[in-house]
Amino acid sequence: MGAAMKKCLEKIKRGVLGQGTYGLLAEGALPPGPFREVYVPGARGRRFMVTSDTSSLAKNHCGATAATNLALVYLEGAQPGPLFLAFHQKIGNGPVIFMERKIQAVFRDLGQPLHYQRTRDPKRILAGLQEGTPAILLLARGLLAWHYVLALGYRVYPRGEVYLMVHDGWHREALRFYQLNQGSLLLGASLYKRTPAPRA
């Protein structure tokens, strides 16, 4: 195969699979100086599930992992293993575009009514996080390279830069930081809010 053909194939591969880490930054890569942070209640310092925990059971399962971590925020004392199995049974392996109703169904089975709202509006995402409502984001770095992350807050700098604080499903405790549409495209987001259980 000639050099020109190899270069062409590599370019196609980059377009399909993308490159990099979806623009998810470690804290050390952020701007220096003062900032203000907003956290969803129950998110700070929590140990989350990562995809490698269940790699023998599933593949391309970032959706079910993000859903499990959403449940860990809302359900104090819940065990991640059984939760993951319940979500993965509904969601399955990826790629998955729409999983909101499947997440809602698992919460309903657990006796925890859940309301969701789809949006791509950055202001609505930030407002939801400000209200204490977590969001699951679907990011794309290429035609077939998608990844779900759980947004748990945001950080704002004096010059106006805003970074969402997300659990990426790969690092158990440390949050990553995502500036909207930098390093990957935000395909969609869904805010998930628990609703009061109906009275008996």
Side-chain angles (χ1 to χ4, degrees), residues 2-15:
M5 178 61 74
K6 286 183 179 179
K7 188 174 180 180
C8 181
L9 290 176
E10 184 61 32
K11 187 174 182 180
I12 293 172
K13 181 180 178 182
R14 285 198 303 269

Side-chain angles (χ1 to χ4, degrees), residues 34-122:
F35 55 81
R36 178 176 63 87
E37 284 185 343
V38 170
Y39 272 96
V40 166
R44 191 187 297 267
R46 188 172 293 275
R47 283 176 59 84
F48 288 108
M49 172 172 272
V50 293
T51 54
S52 61
D53 291 338
T54 51
S55 57
S56 63
L57 304 174
K59 58 184 290 186
N60 298 326
H61 51 292
C62 59
T65 301
T68 300
N69 289 329
L70 171 70
L72 291 175
V73 171
Y74 274 139
L75 307 177
E76 189 66 37
Q79 295 300 309
L83 282 175
F84 176 81
L85 292 176
F87 283 114
H88 187 257
Q89 185 177 26
K90 295 279 189 187
I91 296 169
N93 293 330
V96 177
I97 299 179
F98 300 114
M99 60 179 191
E100 293 89 351
R101 290 186 180 180
K102 297 172 182 178
I103 293 173
Q104 193 178 47
V106 174
F107 269 84
R108 185 169 57 247
D109 292 345
L110 295 170
Q112 302 287 336
L114 188 75
H115 171 76
Y116 69 85
Q117 179 188 22
R118 290 183 184 139
T119 184
R120 290 189 71 246
D121 180 0

